[in-house]
Amino acid sequence: MIVIGLVGKIAAGKSTVAKRFAELGARVIDADAIAHEVLAEPEVRAAIVNRFGADVLDGAGLVRRPALAERVFGPTAAHAAALADLEAIVHPRVHRRIEQALEAARSAERAAGRGDMVVVLDVPLLLRAGWAAACDAIVTVTCDEGVRRARLAARGISREQQAAREASWQGQAEGAAGVPDGGRAHKIVAVDTSGDLEYTHRQVDRIWQDVARR
């Protein structure tokens, strides 16, 4: 099994790259989608309400992610402590689900009698979370800063929230530097998503032919 990890800033285009890999035949493990599922777990919601208050829930009793983001992303020590508390609640559960998804992929590969399955890890802060050790290749996703800022604005994320989130994520290495070997030799490749979709797809297709050896 070949595991490809995606690294890049928010709105750099990781989801677009992951989607193209999926179209080419890869199995994508989307940590953000998993986190959505985790936030819906009753025990997790109870822990979040206990830490952050019932006003972070909507009328249906589900976690309002924008409200939670306001509590944990910011310049103060209180924000940092709140983010650490939220990560302590959510991250272990997300980590377990990713491990389970990887094992399910290995099992499916064995059952199919093949050894060429490609799995893409679309995990925010992939390096900081320690997932580089599971990867055979790291794809760094970048784009023009003006393009990225426009994408963030289109998502309704204010400049203040942009700055706060990125300040909280400064520990994440955005390029090849700092990628730990973890006993494995990583192939480091880059995708620039500043252009149109076809421009991005051509780059991903080349990686598929090279890294995935298809």
Side-chain angles (χ1 to χ4, degrees):
M1 188 169 77
I2 298 166
V3 182
I4 299 173
L6 303 184
V7 174
K9 293 181 179 180
I10 182 174
K14 295 188 299 299
S15 295
T16 299
V17 171
K19 182 179 179 181
R20 182 56 177 173
F21 274 123
E23 292 170 350
L24 293 169
R27 178 179 294 202
V28 175
I29 298 176
D30 184 344
D32 194 55
I34 291 174
H36 273 277
E37 296 172 359
V38 166
L39 286 175
E41 293 178 9
E43 288 184 4
V44 172
R45 280 184 293 170
I48 287 174
V49 168
N50 183 59
R51 172 61 178 83
F52 298 100
D55 59 332
V56 298
L57 302 182
D58 63 17
L62 299 177
V63 175
R64 294 188 297 122
R65 289 175 58 132
L68 201 54
E70 292 287 343
R71 305 288 179 88
V72 303
F73 294 120
T76 70
H79 284 107
L83 179 59
D85 289 344
L86 178 62
E87 290 178 343
I89 295 168
V90 175
H91 283 191
R93 291 174 170 85
V94 172
H95 197 281
R96 282 197 298 272
R97 290 196 182 207
I98 293 174
E99 287 182 332
Q100 290 166 358
L102 283 170
E103 184 52 42
R106 294 187 188 98
S107 297
E109 184 181 55
R110 288 192 295 268
R114 54 185 290 192
D116 60 350
M117 179 179 287
V118 178
V119 174
V120 173
L121 291 181
D122 184 1
V123 180
L125 304 182
L126 179 136
L127 304 183
R128 197 181 80 184
W131 286 110
C135 297
D136 300 285
I138 303 292
V139 173
T140 62
V141 183
T142 64
C143 71
D144 175 81
E145 189 64 10
V147 172
R148 193 176 71 86
R149 293 291 181 184
R151 292 173 183 169
L152 286 167
R155 295 184 189 181
I157 300 176
S158 69
R159 296 285 293 194
E160 292 76 15
Q161 266 291 299
Q162 292 176 33
R165 293 185 186 207
E166 289 175 3
S168 298
W169 296 339
Q170 284 179 352
Q172 165 78 332
E174 294 299 340
V179 177
D181 281 342
R184 308 181 71 159
H186 292 92
K187 184 177 183 65
I188 311 297
V189 288
V191 172
D192 172 28
T193 68
S194 303
D196 59 20
L197 200 57
E198 183 180 354
Y199 172 73
T200 299
H201 283 181
R202 285 198 303 269
Q203 297 171 75
V204 177
D205 292 356
R206 285 196 295 270
I207 294 169
W208 181 259
Q209 292 296 328
D210 183 17
V211 176
R213 300 179 179 90
R214 304 295 284 219

